[in-house]
Amino acid sequence: MAFFDHVPDWRRDGRGLSGSLAWTGTHFGIRGLEERGLEAVADAVCAEDRESFLRIFVPTEEASRAGEFRLGLADGRVVFLYCDASIEMAADGRPARIFGTLHDVTDRRRFEAQLSDILREREMLLAVIDACPISITVADAQQPDTPLIYANRTFETLTGYTRDEVLGSNCRFLQGPDSDPAALRVLHDAVVTGSQAEVRLTNRRKDGTPFLNRLVLAPIRNDRGHVTAFIGLQSDVTDEARREEADKQRQRIEALGRMMGGIAHEINNLLQPITLMTEELIARHTDDAERPYLDAVLDCALNARRIIGDLLAFSRPSGRKAEVMDAATLLHDALVLIRKAVGPGIVMDLDVHSGDDRIAVRADKTAFTQVLLNLAGNAAAAMGGTGAIRIALTPGRMVAAGSTGRCARIDVTDSGCGMDRATLERAFEPFFTTKPIGQGTGLGLSVAFGLVKDMGGEITLDSAPGRGTTATVLLPEVIGDWYHGHHTRH
Ligand SMILES: Cc1cc2nc3c(=O)[nH]c(=O)nc-3n(C[C@H](O)[C@H](O)[C@H](O)COP(=O)(O)O)c2cc1C
Ligand SMILES: Nc1ncnc2c1ncn2[C@@H]1O[C@H](COP(=O)(O)OP(=O)(O)O)[C@@H](O)[C@H]1O
Ligand SMILES: [Mg+2]
């Protein structure tokens, strides 16, 4: 701290800086202070602060005033000085004497600047965490029952709870009777031992709707290694899990198909001589009493070959003649045959998305007709033989190798009995049928599945009991100038 006592000489200098200056204490290392007095101080004041420095000397009514300014020192350092001045006025209304103290407040100002940097950074980090698209929670490990002390905005949107509702509570309010006990044990152990864990478990939002939560728990430790808090990351993986389940189901059906194909091939080889030789025997025993027996054998053998033929179509649908053609043409051609095949009680409504953007697909006509025939057959059966089947063709999107992502989407919709979850899950399995013996082989959908897959497409079912069924076939669009030489009839 320095004391100063300055008697301005107003005749020499309108600013009142010249005159006699007495100092005690530190001079803050300002060069030329002795010879030039306050002028030297004024020169050393940083340009931005000069005005507030000079204001201290401006003649006013106030007897004392204070101000702060930065001063550049001879050694290049900058100090923050706080000036507290008292003023004695002369009769002419100008300060006759200015005296007071100067404090070096550099450390305090530096600290404040750092603090405001830290606060700004903290605010930024909090904003980032809050806006993070993953749900983030923090629980205090040092309070009983590890209550939540932080939850970001995504947690609120994910769970439907507001922060005010959950802070202070243990996060198990998200659990319900359908939360997997094994996962709960893993969580319990992780919290007790202060270790990391990752589980998937069913949680419930505030409104009661369930979602599959992939929860990652990680401990936060202090320098001494004690767990002080836990961080919890929540994400809704309901859709992801459903897709995985569908993938698994598809792989299972494909594996079954390969196995069936192997067996079908073997049996087919055995059936060939059985039919041939039975036919031969029938030719020799035209009027025999044994003839009916042989007819029955041939009948069974032919039936068996038909079934085996279906199975082979399901498992090894290769070796077909795939053509590139307009999806609408393909559909129209197939429907000509299918209208004859479904019973007279069934109306087939065709709804083709009109527009000049036709979708070219690669398909074998016979195979495609077979697919539609099987779907229409199921739809007709589900409606008890009377009703309308709606077939719609629209542009769709699918992920397929070497395609634009665009595809032809064919929806076959009925208003029949529909399927429950269990039936829906197994519908594509070979030999799965809910129909009485003699009415269903359980091969219709598995054959359709195999054929569509062979065309690079996808087939899915959407159904609920009593609500009817929509079977959807997606065939990827073929790109290129295939239209040259391919004239469609539309
Ligand atoms: C930070 C943190 C976040 C958590 N998030 C969830 C959550 O989202 N869903 C959930 O079911 N459990 C969550 N838990 C776990 C439960 O709060 C509880 O610790 C766990 O079920 C074990 O409870 P118990 O010791 O009573 O068995 C979280 C725990 C912590 C520490
Ligand atoms: N459109 C539909 N409506 C209701 N159930 C259906 C439909 N399509 C298929 N299913 C169910 O899927 C099962 C398997 O169908 P599929 O493979 O064609 O064999 P099948 O028709 O010989 O039973 C059927 O038995 C039926 O339970
Ligand atoms: Mg069928």
Side-chain angles (χ1 to χ4, degrees):
M1 184 167 76
F3 296 94
F4 68 92
D5 195 344
H6 173 66
V7 178
D9 181 351
W10 291 101
R11 278 162 308 161
R12 275 188 55 195
D13 160 22
R15 298 186 297 174
L17 294 176
S18 54
S20 71
L21 175 68
W23 281 97
T24 59
T26 336
H27 288 173
F28 304 106
I30 306 164
R31 233 183 262 153
L33 206 58
E34 279 71 26
E35 313 94 73
R36 292 176 53 216
L38 264 189
E39 273 180 306
V41 180
D43 289 346
V45 168
C46 295
E48 306 92 45
D49 296 350
R50 195 152 292 150
E51 207 171 310
S52 69
F53 169 77
L54 290 175
R55 212 173 294 131
I56 299 171
F57 303 93
V58 172
T60 59
E61 297 289 290
E62 292 164 59
S64 76
R65 63 201 79 171
E68 202 174 301
F69 49 87
R70 276 166 293 173
L71 205 63
L73 301 188
D75 62 5
R77 281 185 304 131
V78 172
V79 289
F80 286 82
L81 294 183
Y82 174 77
C83 174
D84 194 354
S86 294
I87 294 172
E88 280 178 16
M89 292 295 190
D92 63 2
R94 287 199 287 214
R97 186 177 165 218
I98 302 166
F99 61 99
T101 54
L102 280 173
H103 289 264
D104 184 345
V105 292
T106 310
D107 285 349
R108 199 169 72 210
R109 288 288 170 265
R110 291 256 155 82
F111 176 72
E112 280 169 3
Q114 269 171 10
L115 192 65
S116 96
D117 279 354
I118 289 170
L119 287 177
R120 226 191 340 268
E121 192 178 19
R122 189 188 111 98
E123 211 164 280
M124 194 264 292
L125 284 176
L126 277 177
V128 167
I129 295 170
D130 197 39
C132 195
I134 292 178
S135 163
I136 299 174
T137 49
V138 180
D140 191 342
Q142 289 169 322
Q143 286 186 56
D145 205 30
T146 37
L148 288 180
I149 51 172
Y150 176 81
N152 72 350
R153 217 178 316 148
T154 306
F155 178 87
E156 294 186 317
T157 42
L158 173 67
T159 65
Y161 289 98
T162 65
R163 285 173 249 223
D164 288 348
E165 289 173 305
V166 302
L167 295 188
S169 309
N170 182 291
C171 207
R172 72 173 77 80
F173 59 83
L174 290 174
Q175 298 161 6
D178 43 6
S179 297
D180 178 12
L184 294 182
R185 248 190 324 278
V186 170
L187 290 176
H188 173 82
D189 292 349
V191 172
V192 168
T193 59
S195 45
Q196 194 167 332
E198 179 174 340
V199 294
R200 283 178 175 210
L201 82 170
T202 302
N203 272 174
R204 290 189 172 267
R205 288 179 238 275
K206 191 183 177 188
D207 65 8
T209 53
F211 67 98
L212 190 64
N213 183 359
R214 181 175 57 217
L215 171 63
V216 179
L217 272 195
I220 301 173
R221 294 173 187 279
N222 63 14
D223 341 334
R224 276 167 296 142
H226 294 307
V227 175
T228 54
F230 283 96
I231 180 162
L233 307 179
Q234 291 85 359
S235 37
D236 181 353
V237 294
T238 313
D239 291 344
E240 191 183 310
R242 211 169 277 152
R243 269 197 302 278
E244 271 171 27
E245 192 46 50
D247 265 3
K248 235 186 272 169
Q249 177 76 358
R250 197 166 47 234
Q251 282 164 11
R252 206 162 61 89
I253 288 168
E254 282 170 20
L256 261 174
R258 278 192 295 278
M259 190 186 76
M260 291 293 175
I263 298 170
H265 191 66
E266 292 297 317
I267 294 177
N268 200 37
N269 286 348
L270 297 174
L271 281 173
Q272 218 106 22
I274 293 177
T275 32
L276 279 178
M277 287 178 202
T278 311
E279 277 163 359
E280 179 62 29
L281 278 177
I282 289 172
R284 290 190 196 179
H285 294 72
T286 18
D287 319 307
D288 263 355
E290 285 151 17
R291 171 67 193 265
Y293 296 110
L294 292 172
D295 281 343
V297 170
L298 185 62
D299 228 35
C300 289
L302 289 175
N303 250 333
R305 278 185 66 176
R306 197 175 42 75
I307 294 173
I308 290 297
D310 274 355
L311 262 185
L312 285 173
F314 164 54
S315 55
R316 288 184 319 174
S318 47
R320 293 170 193 281
K321 295 190 285 119
E323 293 173 64
V324 174
M325 69 187 103
D326 182 50
T329 310
L330 184 67
L331 197 54
H332 276 293
D333 289 356
L335 275 180
V336 173
L337 290 170
I338 292 163
R339 282 215 169 85
K340 285 180 195 146
V342 296
I346 298 292
V347 185
M348 308 273 287
D349 286 334
L350 180 60
D351 177 7
V352 173
H353 165 89
S354 58
D356 48 1
D357 54 342
R358 293 190 206 121
I359 306 164
V361 295
R362 189 187 310 278
D364 170 81
K365 269 190 181 184
T366 322
F368 182 80
T369 308
Q370 182 74 52
V371 170
L372 232 65
L373 199 58
N374 293 5
L375 296 181
N378 284 345
M383 297 191 295
T386 47
I389 300 173
R390 213 173 67 81
I391 300 180
L393 172 66
T394 50
R397 303 208 67 80
M398 73 177 289
V399 189
S403 92
T404 50
R406 229 167 79 100
C407 70
R409 178 188 171 120
I410 298 146
D411 289 308
V412 179
T413 306
D414 66 59
S415 55
C417 57
M419 283 173 261
D420 58 22
R421 248 189 95 84
T423 307
L424 205 50
E425 262 170 25
R426 299 191 57 195
F428 286 110
E429 269 179 36
F431 297 118
F432 174 80
T433 179
T434 57
K435 292 167 188 166
I437 298 170
Q439 280 186 37
T441 56
L443 288 174
L445 284 179
S446 47
V447 166
F449 180 92
L451 294 176
V452 171
K453 189 171 163 280
D454 198 44
M455 295 180 232
E458 267 172 34
I459 179 167
T460 53
L461 291 172
D462 180 22
S463 185
R467 209 196 61 197
T469 300
T470 295
T472 301
V473 175
L474 302 180
L475 296 177
E477 180 182 38
V478 177
I479 346 160
D481 53 350
W482 63 276
Y483 270 103
H484 299 298
H486 276 268
H487 297 289
T488 58
R489 270 163 279 159
H490 297 284

